[in-house]
Structures are given as C-alpha cells and as structure tokens.
Amino acid sequence: MRTIVAASAVLILAVLPVAAPWLQFVLTLAIAKGFAALGVAVLLRAGLISIGHAMFFAASAYGVAFLARAGINDLGLLLILSVLAAALLGAIAGLFLVRYRAIFFAMLNLAVSMVFYALCAKLYSVTGGTDGMTVPVPAVFGVVLGEPTFKSVLFYISLALMLLVGLAIQRYLNSPLGHALAAVHSNEIRLEYLGIPVWAVLLVAYVVSAALAGLGGAIAGFAIGRVVPDFAFWTASGHLVLIAVLGGIGGVPGAFIGALFLELLHSVAVTVTDAWNLIVGLTLIVVIMFLPQGFYGLFSRKEASSL
Amino acid sequence: MTRPILEARGLHVAFNGVKAADGVSISIHDGEFLAIIGPNGSGKTTLLNICTGYIRPGSGSVLLDGHDITHLSPRAIARRGVARAFQIPQLFSAQRVIDNMMLALAAKDGLWNAIRPLDTGARRAEAKALLDLIGLADDTDRISSTLPEGHRKLLDIAVALALKPRLLLLDEPTSGVSALERFPLMEALMSALRQRQITALFVEHDMDVVARYASRVLVWNAGNIMAEGRPDQVFSNAQVRERVIGVA
C-alpha cells in the first residue's frame, strides 16, 4: 500500500511540470531543500538539532561554482565532487561537533555556519562577496543543453535521486547503525556499555547529513544558476529544521513532504499576501499541536510511534 | 586455583571524604557466582562502577585476565567481554523490546553495517530465544518504556546477556521484581549463565536469593570487606548477622 502511495506521489510530481511549467523550478528547489532537510532529520533522530546545515548546502553550491570555474563541466562529476566536498567538510566539523549535545550542539553548528557565511560574504576576490558566483549550465553525459532543457533534465534527475537516495537513507536508518543512532536519543550509557562508540555513530550520521545537505545545495545551485552567501545564513538553516519538523522525522519521505508543502505554500501565499510568513507560522503551530509526527505521521502513524 | 578473571587490588575511593572503598581487594574466578552484600551506601555499586570503567579509583587497579583495565572506558571493557545489568534498568526506552535485543546482538557482531537491516531472521531468532529464556516472550513487540518495572529489569539483564559476555556484573537483579517472579527470574538467569558458561558477580539485598544461588559471598561494609566465604559460613558469622542482615 505504501509503495503504491509513494509511486503515485512520484508520478504526480513527474507530470505536474507538464501541466504547469512554472512548477518545475518550485519543485526542483523543493526537492533540493528536501535533501538538506533529510540531513537535518537524520540528526534529529539522535535528538540533535543542527541550526547550521545550510553551511553544507552552501558549501556544495560554491563547490560546483568553483569546480565549474576550474573547467569541470559535467553534471554527474560536479554533483559527485561537490557532495564529496560537503561530506569532507562534515567530517571535519563533525569531529569537533559530535562531542556536544542539546543546546550546545545547536549553537555550535550555528556558530560554525555563520563563520562560513561571513567568509563567503567577505572574501570578495574569491567568492564574489554578496554578489555570489555564477553556476553555469553543465553538460549532461557529454551532451551540451540549452538552459530550459537543462532545467527540465535537472528536475527529472532530482526526482530520480530523491527516490534512489531516499531508499539508501531508509536502508541506513533500518540498519544496525541507524538503530544505534536513534538509540543515542534514548540512552547513551547503555550504548557505551554495549561497547558501541557513540561518537563514531554520530560522526557517520553527521557526514551522511552533510552529504545530503550538499546534494541539495548542488541541485539548488544548478536550478538557480547562482550561489550567494545567503545560502549559508542561519535563517536558511532554521528553515531546514522547520521543513524537517513539518514533514516529520518518522520516515525519509517526511523531509520531502515538508519541503514540497512549504515551497508550494510559499508560492501560493506570496500571490495572496505579503505576510506569507504568518501563514507558514500558523501552519507550524497547527502541525506541532495536532501532528507531532509531522505530515508523514498522517501516512505512517504506527511506524513513527515505534521510533 | 587458576588466575582470576577479574581482580581488584587495593582500591581506594572516597566521595566528599566518605570512603566507598578503603584498600579493598577482591577476585572472581571462572564459573563463580559471587554475591556482594552489605548495607545501602556501603560502596557496592561503586565497585561495579570501577570494574566497568565508569569511575576511576583514587588508587589501586583492576585487572581483567591479568591485564590492567583500570583506565579503560566502559565501552572498551564491554568489548573485552564484561557486561553489566543495572539497578535502574538502562534501556532504549523508545524502542521495542525486540529492537533493544537485536541492537545488543548487533553491537557484539555486525554494528558497522549501514546496508543490511538490523532485523535479520537469524538475529531476530536469537533475540527471541533469549527473551524466551528470560521470560519476556510475550513482550517482544512492546515499546520498552511501557513495560512494568520488573520486566524492564529482566530486559536489562537480557540485553547484557545478548553481548555473550564472559563476565556479567549484576546490580541488584531482583530489586523491583515481585516476590513471585524473583525465583523464576533467578532460575532463568542461572540457567543462562550455566548454558553459556558465564561467570557472574552480583550485588544483592535479598538474602534468600544469595543463600540459594551464590557460590561465594563477600560482605561489604563501610568501604571494607567484613567477611567472605560460602553463604552458610557468612550467614553464621555473628558480626554479619548483626550488622548486615539485621538479625542478632
């Protein structure tokens, strides 16, 4: 049943831009943010809230821009290298950050990301400062495409990646390592007495979450065609937490459901009122009060309650 | 006698001037079921905390198979085959009983796998066999926070057994367990220990349990060992009867 629901949802997403072409950009961006929110959701399983994951989102997008400037012009290669760069940055930051818990973890992530933001904004000669950097249209499997065609290809590649990466992350969360991650939230003492190195479990999760945010950032960079320091600003990180909580952390689809909901809500709300944040805020209050498992809880109450 | 599995030499520990261990030395040998009895606050749990690396002694050392483990972490000691069950059960409360067990089994073998599921047929079967043995067969799919205290205690012991330890340290295994369940629990525990050839040390307040199951008893009082020997020898010691058991 769940497979049918998921397949139908993906099919609907795939045909939506055909019916309403303006949706293609919105949906691509939603999937990109969904990847990053999934990264945040992975850490939320361990009870760790990162208010700094926009750093990895931005780092990967800057990575694409730098690599393109260096002459690499293949979409696949650019995606892989930029995600690896985000993962590497995650490993370095994670080594230091996974030692902390609760508010200290949240604030240190925020602090590190703001240092990154400041560097991006101030190192004008390297990053273009607040003007940012251009992300040119790359070749896809050696084929040079026009911008509109590339944006369509990017959307469908993003959709496919959402499925493939989503399944891989679901496997990870169901694996012993994924269960150990959720157990960090429950009882670190027992984990230590089982001989499980909590820091290593968290470091793996942190690297995975950074890579996911990186994948989202690279896709967003391609979709927008530009990367600016605001990608890394703390409000962008807060936005990712918002998406993860709205969508629900009980399952992988939650992050994407949350991202799609917020992007679509934003697109519609801004045409009605300037105060679209009011609508988003009210929605969040309703979700927290009545859907503690997020939107995903509507689809999978039993599974969410077992985690 | 053979070399002890675990040996503590000259342990000194004090908390705010109160001595929990004052030059204590103990040893436990293969196949023993060593009971430690003594008044509340006399330092029994502190001994378990030291032996598992949770706290460091002021001086003295702990040897496992002759190797110094005094400064190792609980994680490193667990990986050397020493498991622990707690006075207050330490469980993954948000997870199901079976998941607690399967994660403990995976911790021993197969944790670093991010592809295969935790719930494999073989691992589930092994977890269920242990739950059957300890008397939790009916609770397999319950969230562990919803278990009654006695069952949480049993699960804590089952989780420790899942590590397939050589040495099991139990802190008051029967506390919080109803009088009716106490002896069935001990029978299940003893049968698991014998079947798996696990040596055990347990802190206990129930003297009936100690008398029936312990192979040797250590009486701990004010940071020192007051008496030591077979249960019948220790229980006939007038000093022990007066100060620890409360019978003159």
Side-chain angles (χ1 to χ4, degrees):
Chain A
M1 182 65 190
R2 280 167 55 192
T3 315
I4 296 170
V5 172
S8 312
V10 172
L11 265 177
I12 291 169
L13 281 178
V15 297
L16 267 179
V18 180
W22 65 273
L23 271 175
Q24 183 179 284
F25 174 73
V26 175
L27 294 180
T28 308
L29 210 55
I31 292 171
K33 289 182 180 177
F35 277 119
L38 181 57
V40 172
V42 164
L43 291 174
L44 276 172
R45 289 203 163 218
L48 296 176
I49 303 171
S50 166
I51 318 179
H53 260 50
M55 173 172 80
F56 304 111
F57 189 83
S60 181
Y62 272 106
V64 169
F66 279 118
L67 289 165
R69 190 192 272 177
I72 296 174
N73 188 36
D74 180 75
L75 175 69
L77 198 56
L78 284 169
L79 276 177
I80 291 168
L81 290 175
S82 58
V83 169
L84 283 177
L88 181 65
L89 187 61
I92 294 166
L95 270 175
F96 159 67
L97 293 170
V98 299
R99 295 164 53 204
Y100 297 90
R101 302 288 180 272
I103 192 72
F104 306 103
F105 180 83
M107 288 297 118
L108 279 169
N109 270 278
L110 187 144
V112 172
S113 74
M114 287 308 287
V115 169
F116 183 85
Y117 165 80
L119 287 172
C120 292
K122 300 295 177 190
L123 295 174
Y124 187 85
S125 58
V126 183
T127 63
T130 49
D131 292 343
M133 293 173 75
T134 303
V135 178
V137 173
V140 182
F141 301 117
V143 181
V144 179
L145 304 168
E147 192 171 333
T149 315
F150 169 70
K151 294 288 167 74
S152 291
V153 170
L154 179 68
F155 169 67
Y156 287 105
I157 287 177
S158 304
L159 203 57
L161 282 173
M162 180 178 83
L163 273 178
L164 293 174
V165 174
L167 286 171
I169 296 299
Q170 191 66 58
R171 282 211 146 201
Y172 162 58
L173 295 177
N174 284 336
S175 73
L177 212 47
H179 277 265
L181 178 67
V184 173
H185 194 26
S186 275
N187 196 331
E188 276 194 49
I189 291 178
R190 178 42 96 186
L191 276 177
E192 286 286 332
Y193 272 95
L194 289 180
I196 296 175
V198 173
W199 71 271
V201 170
L202 288 178
L203 185 59
V204 169
Y206 199 88
V207 172
V208 167
S209 75
L212 284 168
L215 179 56
I219 292 170
F222 285 125
I224 297 166
R226 186 151 208 92
V227 49
V228 291
D230 277 354
F231 273 35
F233 198 58
W234 71 271
T235 52
S237 294
H239 190 69
L240 297 178
V241 177
L242 176 69
I243 292 171
V245 173
L246 265 182
I249 62 166
V252 167
F256 294 102
I257 294 169
L260 287 164
F261 174 81
L262 260 193
E263 285 303 309
L264 290 172
L265 177 69
H266 179 212
S267 302
V268 175
V270 288
T271 62
V272 182
T273 168
D274 285 343
W276 71 274
N277 266 323
L278 181 74
I279 298 172
V280 173
L282 287 173
T283 310
L284 185 65
I285 290 170
V286 170
V287 167
I288 288 174
M289 287 183 72
F290 300 106
L291 294 172
Q293 313 286 348
F295 289 124
Y296 183 66
L298 286 173
F299 302 98
S300 181
R301 280 192 177 278
K302 189 164 173 254
E303 188 194 44
S305 65
S306 74
L307 290 162
Chain B
M1 207 177 231
T2 54
R3 187 171 69 186
I5 292 189
L6 188 82
E7 194 179 2
R9 290 181 185 163
L11 294 181
H12 283 271
V13 189
F15 299 108
N16 297 324
V18 178
K19 288 174 178 169
D22 189 13
V24 172
S25 295
I26 65 159
S27 61
I28 178 162
H29 294 79
D30 245 339
E32 274 198 299
F33 192 50
L34 174 64
I36 299 185
I37 62 172
N40 283 327
S42 60
K44 305 183 299 294
T45 298
T46 300
L47 174 72
L48 299 195
N49 283 338
I50 293 172
C51 290
T52 53
Y54 195 69
I55 59 173
R56 308 260 181 266
S59 65
S61 58
V62 181
L63 308 179
L64 183 68
D65 294 323
H67 300 289
D68 193 342
I69 59 163
T70 320
H71 298 287
L72 295 185
S73 64
R75 183 174 76 238
I77 293 172
R79 298 204 77 83
R80 282 166 171 75
V82 180
R84 178 174 181 181
F86 294 81
Q87 188 177 356
I88 298 165
Q90 297 293 329
L91 303 172
F92 304 124
S93 301
Q95 269 102 334
R96 293 176 306 168
V97 167
I98 191 82
D99 291 332
N100 271 263
M101 293 300 296
M102 289 193 295
L103 186 53
L105 289 168
K108 176 75 182 170
D109 182 21
L111 177 73
W112 298 104
N113 190 328
I115 308 293
R116 292 193 68 196
L118 174 73
D119 190 352
T120 60
R123 196 176 278 140
R124 175 173 279 266
E126 199 178 345
K128 285 190 94 162
L130 255 174
L131 289 173
D132 277 349
L133 182 66
I134 211 84
L136 288 177
D138 295 336
D139 294 324
T140 308
D141 288 317
R142 284 182 72 171
I143 301 293
S144 52
S145 62
T146 66
L147 294 178
E149 185 59 18
H151 287 207
R152 287 171 57 78
K153 197 93 188 175
L154 289 168
L155 179 57
D156 194 50
I157 294 171
V159 163
L161 285 171
L163 285 179
K164 304 178 185 85
R166 289 182 51 223
L167 176 64
L168 178 59
L169 309 180
L170 301 130
D171 200 349
E172 300 195 25
T174 66
S175 74
V177 179
S178 74
L180 281 175
E181 289 171 320
R182 203 160 286 175
F183 285 102
L185 158 70
M186 287 306 295
E187 288 298 330
L189 174 61
M190 294 308 290
S191 117
L193 295 179
R194 276 192 291 267
Q195 208 181 77
R196 289 152 191 255
Q197 296 176 310
I198 299 169
T199 303
L201 178 157
F202 74 122
V203 168
E204 185 57 68
H205 278 295
D206 187 320
M207 295 306 145
D208 292 334
V209 167
V210 173
R212 188 149 158 189
Y213 296 103
S215 58
R216 185 160 61 99
V217 182
L218 263 170
V219 185
W220 193 286
N221 190 29
N224 276 300
I225 293 168
M226 190 176 152
E228 184 180 355
R230 287 197 321 268
D232 55 323
Q233 292 172 329
V234 167
F235 291 145
S236 60
N237 180 320
Q239 224 182 357
V240 172
R241 289 174 69 82
E242 186 188 343
R243 291 203 201 159
V244 180
I245 304 175
V247 184

